[in-house]
Amino acid sequence: MVCPYSQAVQRSPRMQRSTPRIPSFEQSLNQTGLAQRQPIERNAPLARLYEDALHYEPGTAISSTGALIARSGAKTGRSPRDKRVAEEASTVDDVWWGPVNKKLSEESFAVNAQTALDYLNTRDRLYVFDGFAGWDTRYRIKVRVVCARAYHALFMNNMLIRPTADELADFGEPDFTIVNAGQFPANRFTKGMTSPTSVAISFERRQMVILGTEYAGEMKKGVFTVMHYFMPKAGVLSLHSSCNEGPKGDVSLFFGLSGTGKTTLSADPARKLIGDDEHVWTDTGVFNIEGGCYAKAVDLSAEKEPEIFNAIRFGSVLENVIYNGESRVVDYSDTSITENTRCAYPIEYIPNSKVPCVGGSPQNIILLTCDAFGVLPPVAKLTPAQAMYHFISGYTAKIAGTEEGV
């Protein structure tokens, strides 16, 4: 499959790195604009993040199986209506502007970025997680997350690819930085703002700034958006799909929106899991973008989804679930906080995961439409022309996924 946007573009300039002297962590952090007056925990141990979350973040608990239970505050899903992309001379012709990718002026982005930094500079402690997006080192980017909640640091520890000690020592300057000040609202009088929530990306500044939402899924989706921008420039195709591999090396892709079954179907005990949500298709095969999985937890049970159920243990993050106050046993059928209860866990928590998360060229492609209107039969085998049509049209029903209000 050839990405239609690649044409003469072979690799993104950001991926053609020279090898100058690697700046120290403190030097690279200076580029972010942080005052660095408070303790900054970089890639903190899981136990330390647990301790801080339990001590400083109300509503946090440890489940009976050892997972960290966290609350995301008023927002329990993503806020796509508050997503913005900075309109910049270097990228203005590369973005499909419209109701999904809404423009934000460079000046307004700068205001939001400074607001976020000003807030973070007032915190008693900060967390930094440095990790990677992309298991194929040819296309991997370095991502830095700066945040004030241990819950957010632990979440991204699970969702990004965790560096080795040597990789962390040589990390240097990130390719992209997420500045998460979600506890503090955006100024709704800033031009381009329509609410106290803002999730904005600047490709020129290589930053994502979050204000007015503590929902951790915004960071995960932000990394995916960045890869959607960089990967076509590198001549490869980014995919919203899960992926697994059979005993004979046969790779299957499962395309679908959030909540359509990608995570559940890819966690097949008879096949190796490559990834549950975000992938890239290259000339040599596919690779997972993430280092973990983000599974729906509603009605989860050991009988129906044993691999996912057993992945909820120490190091995993449970979001917005209800649990017994005495036993700490989670009631996965209780959706009184939100239908969008979730669990984030490292991919190696799935026993039959394939690490490194790479595979050959796909032999089976499954489009999960979750058709609630009866337009399509329950199962249909498509011709190549039909498959191309349905891939481009993206027909699906909107069901409870990660978006707020759905």
Side-chain angles (χ1 to χ4, degrees):
M1 181 176 288
V2 178
C3 175
Y5 301 105
S6 61
Q7 298 183 1
V9 178
Q10 296 301 311
R11 288 182 69 78
S12 165
R14 283 300 306 164
M15 296 178 190
Q16 295 177 336
R17 302 189 192 94
S18 58
T19 55
R21 184 177 64 85
I22 298 172
S24 68
F25 170 61
E26 291 75 15
Q27 289 171 329
S28 66
L29 205 57
N30 283 336
Q31 304 299 318
T32 308
L34 289 172
Q36 301 187 54
R37 289 189 292 263
Q38 67 279 77
I40 297 178
E41 294 281 349
R42 184 193 191 197
N43 290 45
L46 303 186
R48 178 61 181 270
L49 294 175
Y50 266 63
E51 290 170 356
D52 282 5
L54 291 166
H55 187 72
Y56 298 113
E57 300 176 16
T60 305
I62 300 177
S63 78
S64 59
T65 60
L68 184 75
I69 299 173
R71 295 281 187 267
S72 66
K75 299 278 188 175
T76 58
R78 288 187 294 106
S79 302
R81 288 185 294 273
D82 298 309
K83 179 183 175 182
R84 300 289 186 273
V85 178
E87 184 181 13
E88 298 154 328
S90 61
T91 59
V92 66
D93 295 328
D94 296 334
V95 178
W96 188 351
W97 302 106
V100 175
N101 297 311
K102 300 176 184 178
K103 294 180 180 180
L104 185 69
S105 71
E106 292 182 75
E107 294 77 13
S108 292
F109 184 90
V111 169
N112 283 356
Q114 192 59 53
T115 298
L117 289 171
D118 289 345
Y119 171 77
L120 292 176
N121 282 332
T122 67
R123 299 300 88 195
D124 292 333
R125 68 199 59 80
L126 292 177
Y127 305 92
V128 170
F129 184 79
D130 287 339
F132 302 108
W135 281 91
D136 188 329
T137 55
R138 296 177 299 168
Y139 303 101
R140 166 176 288 181
I141 68 170
K142 299 184 292 184
V143 180
R144 169 166 292 166
V145 179
V146 182
C147 56
R149 289 195 64 178
Y151 146 53
H152 289 155
L154 181 59
F155 178 91
M156 290 307 284
N157 173 86
N158 290 349
M159 299 314 302
L160 289 173
I161 299 167
R162 293 157 290 284
T164 64
D166 288 342
E167 288 173 334
L168 187 60
D170 294 339
F171 195 81
E173 184 183 346
D175 295 315
F176 223 87
T177 300
I178 298 173
V179 181
N180 189 341
Q183 301 99 303
F184 195 80
N187 187 332
R188 64 173 67 222
F189 296 107
T190 301
K191 186 177 180 181
M193 296 295 97
T194 55
S195 81
T197 299
S198 174
V199 180
I201 289 178
S202 166
F203 288 108
E204 197 162 285
R205 294 172 59 139
R206 297 183 289 126
Q207 281 189 345
M208 175 183 183
V209 174
I210 300 174
L211 292 165
T213 173
E214 299 176 60
Y215 180 66
E218 295 287 8
M219 296 182 287
K220 165 188 159 62
K221 194 68 171 182
V223 173
F224 197 23
T225 301
V226 169
M227 293 295 277
H228 272 317
Y229 179 82
F230 282 136
M231 292 301 99
K233 286 179 171 292
V236 292
L237 182 64
S238 47
L239 310 168
H240 190 192
S241 71
S242 61
C243 181
N244 62 22
E245 181 182 272
K248 297 181 179 179
D250 51 303
V251 172
S252 295
L253 290 177
F254 301 83
F255 287 94
L257 292 182
S258 297
T260 55
K262 296 188 301 300
T263 300
T264 300
L265 291 172
S266 59
D268 185 336
R271 298 173 66 86
K272 292 181 179 179
L273 175 66
I274 293 175
D276 81 320
D277 194 50
E278 303 172 7
H279 292 83
V280 174
W281 193 340
T282 75
D283 56 349
T284 58
V286 294
F287 67 87
N288 189 359
I289 291 174
E290 301 181 296
C293 302
Y294 194 35
K296 284 182 69 68
V298 62
D299 292 328
L300 183 65
S301 70
E303 293 73 30
K304 291 191 295 184
E305 299 171 89
E307 289 79 20
I308 296 173
F309 187 88
N310 292 325
I312 302 177
R313 56 183 192 263
F314 181 77
S316 299
V317 179
L318 280 166
E319 289 181 320
N320 301 315
V321 297
I322 299 296
Y323 59 92
N324 183 288
E326 293 296 324
S327 67
R328 299 299 196 267
V329 172
V330 176
D331 183 355
Y332 292 109
S333 66
D334 192 328
T335 57
S336 55
I337 295 178
T338 177
E339 180 83 13
N340 184 36
T341 54
R342 290 269 170 173
C343 182
Y345 50 87
I347 193 164
E348 59 265 28
Y349 281 19
I350 298 294
N352 59 327
S353 60
K354 184 182 181 183
V355 179
C357 302
V358 296
S361 295
Q363 297 182 17
N364 305 293
I365 299 175
I366 300 169
L367 307 178
L368 304 173
T369 62
C370 201
D371 178 19
F373 303 105
V375 173
L376 298 173
V379 178
K381 186 174 181 179
L382 306 180
T383 65
Q386 290 173 323
M388 286 187 283
Y389 170 79
H390 283 287
F391 176 79
I392 295 298
S393 68
Y395 173 74
T396 187
K398 274 228 171 185
I399 62 169
T402 57
E403 292 184 13
E404 185 185 27
V406 178

